[in-house]
C-alpha cells in the first residue's frame, strides 16, 4: 500500500487511490501540462486511518440510520461524524509519511511552500456522478502542523450534510466513497479562473473562459462576477468578451498568513482581466487537454508572474443541449439581463431570498431570486422553477446546481434583487439570459436531457421523416436505423409492384427519395443508415394493390421477408426501385446515406444482393457503407464469415430474441409470461458472439433493437462487450448516453 503518491507517479487510472482530482493532476503532469507540483495522500491512507482509529465501526452506522430528508437530523449527525474525525489522533507513522513528503516538496521549491490541500473523493469526477463543489479546499496552508490539520479537515469534509445528502440521494454507498488529499504548491495568482472546453449550455464548438483578479476561489464560489470570454474552436479566435467590474479580490495576506480580501483600484476594476494573447494561449491548452482525455473539460487555471498554471481539470458531466426558442420575436418588457447558466424558459412568481431565514417561503413553481446561492439553499433550489442571481458566472454555485437539477437559471444580472419584489410575476428566458416582466409567450422546443460525451457512438432509431429536423438537434452521432417501411406506409402507400404495373415507378422512387432526403439533410454530415424494406407479407398486403402480389403465409414472421425478397425473381424489380431511390439521394450529394440489409439468413443472399446493388451503381466504398442486420441466429453462429462480406453489423435484438428463444415477439401471452426478454443469457451470448466476430475482422458492430431503449442498463453490457455503436429511441437517448459514459469509464475505454 502506498501512503503517498507524487503527481508524476499517478495516471488517470489511479482514481481508486488518488481520487478524481488527484488522478487528473497526475495524468496532466504526465501529458506535460503546467501543473503546480505536489503529491497525494492516498485514499488508502484515509481508509487505514479510519480502520486503525476504529472510526469506521462508528460512523457508518450513524449515517445509515440518518433520515436525510430530516434536515435537522442530517445536520446533527453529519457534524457528529466530522467532529469524530477532527478530534481523532492520526497514527504516528501516517503523520510521518505526510510530513516527509512535505519536506521533500520544500526542498524542491527552495523553502517551505504555501500549499493548497484539496479533497479528492474516489467516486468524484465519474461521468454521471457530479459532486461539484461538494468537498472542501484549504488554501494557504504552510508548515507541518497546519498541513496535518488540513488533511484531517479534508477527510472530515467527506461528511458535510450536503455530501451525505447527495450520496444518499444518488445511491452511492457512503463506505464506497473514499477521499484522498491533494497537496499542491499554491500559485500566487494575479489573474485566475475557470475554463470550459465546451459551453456549459451545450455548444461544443466553443471554449468558455472566466477570469477574475486574485485567487480563483472567487470565481468557483460565485463570489464575484468574472469576465467571460468565448473562444471559437473552428476559427481559433475570440468571438465574445464580457468584461465585468471587479471591486475586490482574494490574495495571500500581506502578513504572509492566510488569505485576505483586497480592494481593487478604480482604474483596474473595469479592465479586461486577461489580454487576448493569454486567452488564446489558455484556450489552446484547454483544447490539448480535451483531445488528450477525449471529453470536454472543466478546468481551473491561474497566472502567476506571467506563467500559466493549470490547477484542475475534470470531465464536464452535464452537457446540456438546451432548448431552442422557436419564435425569434419576443414581445415583452425586459427587466434585466444576465448569463444563461442553465437553459429553459419559465414563468412564475418571484421569491427573494436575502437571508437563509427566508428560505422557507420558496414554494414549488417560484422563481428564486437571490444575490448568490450557497449549499444551504439547495433544498429551496430544488423547489424553485427557475433561479436568478445578482452575482456569479457560468460556473458559480447557482449555475452548477441548477444545471444538475435541470432548472433554468440566469446568473450575474447585477441587481435583480433590487428590481423585483416578492410576488411579481416574471418570465425567465434562461436560454438567452433575460428576465421579463409578467407572463411572456416564448415558444420552446424541449429537446433533451443532460448528456455526457461518449466514445461509443449513440445513434437514433428514426421512423417518421417529419421528426428528423427536431431530433437532429440532439447531440446524436447519426441515425442507426431508419426503417424504410415507414416512408412507404405513410407517404407512398402503394405496393411497389403495382407502381411498376402502372408504369408509375418514377413517382414511387421520387417519393421514397424525398423521405430519405429529408432525414439525410437534417442529420448531414452524420450518417443515416437506412434499412431496406422489411415488411412481412401480411403487411405488404395492406399496401394499395398488395393483395395481388403477396402470397398467403402461415408464419409471415418466418416467411418471405427481408433479404429473401430482394433477389427472388418476383420482388427483385421492386427492390431495384428501392435502390434507385438510394442512388438518387446519394447522387444529390447526400453521401451520408448508408444502407442495411434486414433479416439476413445466409451468406449467399448477401453476395447476390451486393451483385444487384452493383448493377444499380451502388458499390461499397469509403463513403458508402453497407451493413447487415444480425438478427437470425445463423449470423451469430457464423459472424466472422459474414463479416467478410460487409462493412458492419447491426444487431436486431428484437428478432434475435424471438429466434434464439423461439418466442413470437408479437405474442401477448408469451410476453406477459416474461418469456420475451432480451436480457436472457442465451440472447446475450448470441450478441457477444456477433460482436466478437465483427471485431475479429475489424468490422463495426451496432445494435438497433429495442433492448437498450427499454432497459438503458442493457447498454452497459454492450459497452463491456466492445460494441461500436448503439441506436436507440429519442426518448431513451440521454439515459443511454449516461449509462454508456459510466460503463466506458469502468472498462477504461
Ligand atoms: C430488430 O429486429 O431488432 C429490429 C431492429 O428490426 P425490426 O424490429 O424492425 O424487426
Ligand atoms: Mg428485425
Amino acid at each position: 500500500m502506498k501512503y503517498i503518491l507524487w503527481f508524476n507517479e499517478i495516471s488517470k487510472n489511479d482514481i481508486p487511490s488518488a481520487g478524481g482530482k488527484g488522478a487528473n493532476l497526475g495524468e496532466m503532469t504526465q501529458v506535460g501540462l503546467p501543473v503546480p507540483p505536489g503529491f497525494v495522500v492516498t485514499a488508502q491512507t484515509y481508509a487505514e486511518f479510519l480502520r486503525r482509529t476504529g472510526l469506521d465501526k462508528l460512523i457508518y452506522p450513524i449515517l445509515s440510520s440518518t433520515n436525510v430528508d430530516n434536515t435537522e437530523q442530517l445536520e446533527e449527525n453529519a457534524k457528529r461524524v466530522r467532529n469524530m474525525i477532527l478530534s481523532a489522533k492520526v497514527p504516528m507513522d501516517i503523520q510521518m509519511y505526510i510530513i516527509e513528503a512535505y519536506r521533500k516538496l520544500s526542498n524542491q521549491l527552495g523553502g517551505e511552500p504555501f500549499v493548497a490541500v484539496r479533497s479528492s473523493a474516489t467516486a468524484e469526477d465519474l461521468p454521471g456522478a457530479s459532486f461539484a463543489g461538494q468537498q472542501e479546499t484549504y488554501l494557504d496552508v504552510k508548515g507541518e502542523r497546519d498541513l496535518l490539520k488540513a488533511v484531517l479537515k479534508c477527510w472530515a469534509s467527506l461528511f458535510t450534510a450536503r455530501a451525505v445528502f447527495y450520496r444518499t440521494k444518488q445511491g452511492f454507498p457512503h463506505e464506497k466513497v473514499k477521499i484522498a488529499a491533494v497537496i499542491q504548491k499554491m500559485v500566487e495568482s494575479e489573474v485566475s479562473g475557470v475554463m470550459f472546453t465546451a459551453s456549459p449550455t451545450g455548444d461544443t464548438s466553443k471554449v468558455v473562459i472566466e477570469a477574475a483578479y486574485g485567487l480563483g476561489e472567487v470565481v468557483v464560489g460565485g463570489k464575484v462576477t468574472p469576465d467571460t470570454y468565448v473562444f471559437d474552436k473552428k476559427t481559433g479566435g475570440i468571438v465574445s468578451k464580457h468584461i465585468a467590474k471587479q471591486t475586490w479580490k482574494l490574495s495571500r495576506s500581506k502578513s504572509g498568513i492566510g488569505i485576505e480580501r483586497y480592494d481593487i483600484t478604480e482604474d483596474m476594476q473595469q479592465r479586461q482581466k486577461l489580454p487576448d494573447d493569454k486567452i488564446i494561449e489558455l484556450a489552446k491548452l484547454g483544447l490539448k487537454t480535451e483531445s488528450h482525455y477525449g471529453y470536454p473539460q472543466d478546468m481551473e487555471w491561474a497566472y502567476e508572474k506571467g506563467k500559466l498554471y493549470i490547477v484542475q481539470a475534470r470531465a464536464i458531466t452535464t452537457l446540456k443541449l438546451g432548448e431552442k426558442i422557436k419564435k425569434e420575436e419576443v414581445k415583452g418588457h425586459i427587466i434585466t439581463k444576465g448569463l444563461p447558466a442553465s437553459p429553459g424558459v419559465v414563468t412564475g412568481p418571484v421569491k427573494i431570498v436575502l437571508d437563509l431565514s427566508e428560505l422557507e417561503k420558496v414554494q414549488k413553481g417560484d422563481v428564486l431570486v437571490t444575490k448568490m446561492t450557497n449549499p444551504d439553499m439547495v433544498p429551496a433550489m430544488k423547489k424553485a422553477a427557475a433561479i436568478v442571481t445578482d452575482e456569479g458566472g457560468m460556473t458559480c454555485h447557482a449555475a452548477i446546481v441548477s444545471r444538475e437539477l435541470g432548472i433554468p437559471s440566469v446568473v450575474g444580472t447585477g441587481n435583480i434583487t433590487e428590481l423585483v419584489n416578492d410576488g411579481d410575476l416574471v418570465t425567465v428566458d434562461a436560454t438567452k439570459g433575460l428576465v421579463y416582466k409578467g407572463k411572456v409567450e416564448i415558444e420552446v422546443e424541449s429537446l433533451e436531457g443532460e448528456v455526457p460525451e461518449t466514445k461509443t457512438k449513440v445513434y437514433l432509431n428514426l421512423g417518421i421523416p417529419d421528426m428528423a429536423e427536431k431530433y437532429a438537434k440532439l447531440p446524436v452521432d447519426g441515425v442507426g436505423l431508419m426503417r424504410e417501411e415507414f416512408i412507404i406506409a405513410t407517404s407512398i402507400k402503394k405496393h411497389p409492384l403495382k407502381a411498376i404495373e402502372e408504369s408509375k415507378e418514377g413517382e414511387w422512387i421520387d417519393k421514397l427519395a424525398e423521405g430519405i432526403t429529408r432525414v439525410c439533410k437534417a442529420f448531414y454530415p452524420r450518417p443515416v443508415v437506412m434499412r431496406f424494406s422489411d415488411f412481412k407479407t401480411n403487411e405488404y398486403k395492406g399496401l394499395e394493390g398488395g393483395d395481388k402480389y403477396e402470397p398467403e403465409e402461415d408464419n409471415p414472421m418466418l416467411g418471405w421477408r427481408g433479404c429473401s425478397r430482394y433477389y427472388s425473381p418476383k420482388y427483385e424489380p421492386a427492390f431495384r426501385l428501392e435502390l434507385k431511390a438510394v442512388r438518387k439521394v446519394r447522387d444529390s450529394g447526400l453521401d451520408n446515406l448508408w444502407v442495411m440489409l434486414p433479416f439476413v439468413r445466409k451468406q449467399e443472399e448477401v453476395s447476390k444482393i451486393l451483385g444487384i446493388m452493383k448493377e444499380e451503381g451502388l458499390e461499397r466504398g469509403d463513403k458508402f457503407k453497407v451493413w447487415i442486420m444480425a438478427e437470425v441466429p445463423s449470423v451469430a453462429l457464423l459472424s466472422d464469415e459474414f463479416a467478410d462480406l460487409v462493412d458492419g453489423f447491426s444487431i436486431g435484438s428484437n428478432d434475435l430474441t424471438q429466434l434464439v428463444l423461439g418466442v413470437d415477439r408479437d405474442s401477448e401471452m408469451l410476453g406477459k409470461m416474461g418469456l420475451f426478454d432480451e436480457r436472457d443469457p442465451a440472447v446475450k451470448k448470441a450478441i457477444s458472439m456477433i460482436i466478437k466476430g465483427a471485431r475479429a475482422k475489424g468490422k463495426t458492430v451496432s445494435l438497433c433493437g429495442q433492448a437498450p431503449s427499454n432497459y438503458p442498463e442493457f447498454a452497459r453490457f454492450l459497452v463491456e462487450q466492445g460494441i461500436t455503436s448503439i441506436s436507440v429511441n429519442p426518448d431513451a437517448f440521454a439515459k443511454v448516453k449516461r449509462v454508456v459514459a459510466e460503463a466506458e469509464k469502468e472498462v477504461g475505454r
Side-chain angles (χ1 to χ4, degrees):
M1 177 194 137
K2 287 237 180 193
Y3 288 90
I4 301 291
L5 285 171
W6 289 85
F7 289 172
N8 60 13
E9 299 174 303
I10 299 171
S11 80
K12 64 172 187 291
N13 302 322
D14 292 315
I15 293 179
S17 51
K21 264 174 221 156
N24 268 345
L25 286 168
E27 181 76 10
M28 287 161 64
T29 306
Q30 312 269 1
V31 183
L33 294 176
V35 176
F39 59 91
V40 171
V41 179
T42 63
Q44 286 71 36
T45 309
Y46 158 81
E48 174 114 341
F49 156 76
L50 284 192
R51 194 179 57 76
R52 283 176 45 196
T53 50
L55 282 172
D56 55 347
K57 300 266 173 341
L58 302 171
I59 61 180
Y60 296 129
I62 296 177
L63 297 174
S64 58
S65 66
T66 303
N67 170 9
V68 298
D69 290 316
N70 178 340
T71 311
E72 215 173 294
Q73 192 188 86
L74 169 68
E75 296 274 352
E76 199 184 296
N77 287 355
K79 193 165 176 192
R80 226 174 103 204
V81 169
R82 287 200 306 278
N83 283 339
M84 285 162 81
I85 293 176
L86 290 173
S87 56
K89 178 143 177 44
V90 182
M92 235 14 234
D93 55 328
I94 294 184
Q95 288 194 29
M96 275 323 292
Y97 282 117
I98 298 172
I99 288 170
E100 266 170 27
Y102 183 63
R103 285 180 187 160
K104 196 167 152 197
L105 185 67
S106 304
N107 282 341
Q108 267 175 29
L109 297 172
E112 264 193 353
F114 282 99
V115 291
V117 180
R118 296 172 195 278
S119 59
S120 178
T122 55
E124 196 178 2
D125 302 324
L126 293 174
S130 170
F131 284 59
Q134 268 196 68
Q135 277 92 33
E136 309 297 325
T137 292
Y138 306 93
L139 298 173
D140 263 327
V141 178
K142 192 176 180 179
E144 293 165 7
R145 268 194 33 208
D146 282 357
L147 176 62
L148 285 174
K149 266 195 218 155
V151 170
L152 263 182
K153 280 195 210 160
C154 201
W155 290 343
S157 74
L158 197 53
F159 302 97
T160 60
R162 195 160 33 115
V164 172
F165 180 85
Y166 261 84
R167 284 199 297 273
T168 308
K169 288 291 176 189
Q170 301 210 2
F172 285 96
H174 295 293
E175 52 276 27
K176 284 260 166 77
V177 181
K178 303 228 164 16
I179 195 158
V182 175
I183 289 143
Q184 187 175 32
K185 169 194 143 61
M186 282 273 304
V187 179
E188 265 184 83
S189 49
E190 292 97 39
V191 181
S192 61
V194 293
M195 165 162 63
F196 277 112
T197 68
S199 164
T201 49
D203 182 355
T204 53
S205 71
K206 304 285 189 304
V207 175
V208 177
I209 295 171
E210 295 186 338
Y213 292 127
L215 298 179
E217 267 55 34
V218 292
V219 179
V220 180
K223 294 193 183 95
V224 305
T225 303
D227 281 6
T228 302
Y229 318 120
V230 180
F231 170 92
D232 188 285
K233 290 182 186 171
K234 266 201 210 95
T235 63
I238 302 165
V239 286
S240 84
K241 290 189 272 190
H242 176 267
I243 314 296
K245 181 175 173 181
Q246 186 179 349
T247 54
W248 62 275
K249 65 175 176 180
L250 290 181
S251 293
R252 164 96 27 88
S253 158
K254 294 215 168 84
S255 68
I257 299 170
I259 349 172
E260 247 174 66
R261 195 180 151 131
Y262 289 97
D263 286 338
I264 292 166
T265 55
E266 215 152 290
D267 63 318
M268 296 280 283
Q269 288 180 1
Q270 311 251 34
R271 278 211 205 142
Q272 183 176 326
K273 315 292 179 301
L274 257 195
D276 287 4
D277 59 327
K278 297 272 192 239
I279 296 174
I280 291 170
E281 175 190 7
L282 184 56
K284 287 192 172 153
L285 207 55
L287 292 183
K288 182 175 166 185
T289 315
E290 175 180 291
S291 85
H292 174 76
Y293 287 103
Y295 288 101
Q297 298 288 308
D298 165 355
M299 302 167 71
E300 289 177 30
W301 55 270
Y303 272 96
E304 182 191 76
K305 299 189 183 94
K307 181 170 163 38
L308 173 61
Y309 287 102
I310 300 294
V311 184
Q312 252 196 64
R314 38 182 268 160
I316 298 177
T317 53
T318 51
L319 259 193
K320 205 169 179 181
L321 184 72
E323 284 163 286
K324 183 100 182 142
I325 303 284
K326 272 193 195 156
K327 243 195 304 182
E328 274 307 316
E329 247 178 65
V330 176
K331 285 202 188 83
H333 171 74
I334 295 173
I335 303 172
T336 185
K337 200 171 172 302
L339 295 168
S342 174
V345 175
V346 154
T347 300
V350 164
K351 289 287 165 65
I352 304 178
V353 175
L354 295 177
D355 188 275
L356 288 183
S357 62
E358 294 175 294
L359 273 183
E360 283 191 0
K361 67 183 181 189
V362 180
Q363 296 302 319
K364 231 182 160 69
D366 288 345
V367 174
L368 171 60
V369 168
T370 181
K371 283 194 185 314
M372 175 41 60
T373 61
N374 64 46
D376 296 320
M377 292 169 75
V378 171
M381 293 168 79
K382 287 170 98 172
K383 287 190 211 154
I387 296 166
V388 186
T389 67
D390 284 350
E391 297 159 5
M394 296 293 270
T395 54
C396 69
H397 182 264
I400 292 173
V401 175
S402 57
R403 280 198 292 274
E404 201 154 308
L405 296 174
I407 301 170
S409 79
V410 175
V411 302
T413 60
N415 57 348
I416 179 84
T417 51
E418 289 161 20
L419 300 174
V420 292
N421 293 307
D422 264 0
D424 286 358
L425 196 69
V426 295
T427 299
V428 179
D429 173 359
T431 307
K432 292 201 172 138
L434 301 173
V435 182
Y436 292 92
K437 192 172 170 186
K439 183 165 173 59
V440 173
E441 287 301 332
I442 302 173
E443 211 185 329
V444 295
E445 239 177 300
S446 180
L447 298 170
E448 39 43 60
E450 294 168 354
V451 295
E453 303 272 307
T454 60
K455 297 224 170 63
T456 308
K457 291 186 166 50
V458 181
Y459 294 128
L460 281 194
N461 290 345
L462 187 79
I464 310 160
D466 292 2
M467 302 303 280
E469 291 84 8
K470 175 173 175 183
Y471 291 132
K473 288 175 192 143
L474 289 168
V476 298
D477 292 300
V479 175
L481 169 64
M482 175 182 159
R483 292 183 171 100
E484 195 192 299
E485 304 90 80
F486 273 84
I487 307 178
I488 300 176
T490 57
S491 73
I492 309 181
K493 300 190 179 101
K494 189 183 279 182
H495 197 289
L497 292 173
K498 177 158 167 72
I500 293 173
E501 193 183 312
E502 292 172 342
S503 305
K504 290 197 172 148
E505 300 96 313
E507 214 175 288
W508 200 94
I509 294 167
D510 288 349
K511 278 193 179 151
L512 179 56
E514 217 173 273
I516 304 172
T517 296
R518 184 153 182 193
V519 180
C520 289
K521 255 197 189 150
F523 284 88
Y524 196 83
R526 293 169 286 177
V528 172
V529 184
M530 190 199 71
R531 187 183 68 183
F532 291 117
S533 65
D534 190 25
F535 282 131
K536 288 102 206 163
T537 45
N538 53 324
E539 293 165 336
Y540 269 113
K541 255 192 212 300
L543 294 175
E544 195 187 315
D547 261 341
K548 184 169 168 191
Y549 307 101
E550 296 297 321
E552 195 65 48
E553 287 186 311
D554 286 340
N555 291 305
M557 199 75 93
L558 298 177
W560 195 36
R561 65 176 283 203
C563 284
S564 61
R565 298 180 77 95
Y566 307 155
Y567 58 88
S568 72
K570 252 182 108 177
Y571 190 83
E572 191 193 307
F575 180 55
R576 287 184 188 267
L577 302 191
E578 298 182 33
L579 294 174
K580 286 188 162 73
V582 170
R583 175 81 198 269
K584 185 174 173 189
V585 176
R586 286 191 54 88
D587 284 353
S588 77
L590 292 167
D591 55 7
N592 57 330
L593 174 61
W594 300 353
V595 296
M596 177 154 79
L597 307 179
F599 220 74
V600 176
R601 292 158 164 132
K602 297 175 79 65
Q603 292 168 64
E604 299 84 83
E605 300 186 291
V606 179
S607 307
K608 277 184 205 160
I609 293 164
L610 290 175
I612 299 171
M613 286 173 61
K614 195 168 168 186
E615 286 169 21
E616 295 293 335
L618 291 169
E619 229 177 320
R620 276 173 60 202
D622 260 1
K623 295 213 108 187
F624 180 56
K625 308 274 184 220
V626 179
W627 290 2
I628 53 172
M629 299 265 316
E631 50 186 351
V632 177
S634 57
V635 180
L637 295 167
L638 300 175
S639 58
D640 54 343
E641 283 148 53
F642 276 95
D644 291 331
L645 302 173
V646 288
D647 299 295
F649 294 89
S650 184
I651 299 167
S653 51
N654 309 339
D655 277 309
L656 188 64
T657 304
Q658 160 170 269
L659 297 171
V660 165
L661 296 175
V663 175
D664 179 347
R665 61 191 262 189
D666 292 339
S667 162
E668 221 185 289
M669 189 170 127
L670 298 184
K672 275 191 188 145
M673 291 169 72
L675 285 172
F676 185 91
D677 190 344
E678 299 97 322
R679 297 163 297 177
D680 184 277
V683 180
K684 281 170 118 176
K685 177 144 193 196
I687 290 174
S688 301
M689 289 166 73
I690 297 163
I691 297 175
K692 212 164 147 202
R695 292 187 64 116
K697 293 280 169 72
K699 301 297 166 81
T700 61
V701 54
S702 191
L703 184 143
C704 63
Q706 279 299 306
S709 298
N710 294 350
Y711 317 104
E713 281 300 314
F714 196 80
R716 181 181 303 277
F717 160 73
L718 298 173
V719 172
E720 283 163 5
Q721 298 300 310
I723 203 140
T724 321
S725 62
I726 301 175
S727 194
V728 298
N729 296 352
D731 59 328
F733 171 69
K735 203 135 188 219
V736 168
K737 275 292 254 200
R738 282 195 282 271
V739 174
V740 169
E742 271 170 37
E744 285 181 345
K745 190 97 183 176
E746 279 158 27
V747 302
R749 205 169 191 181

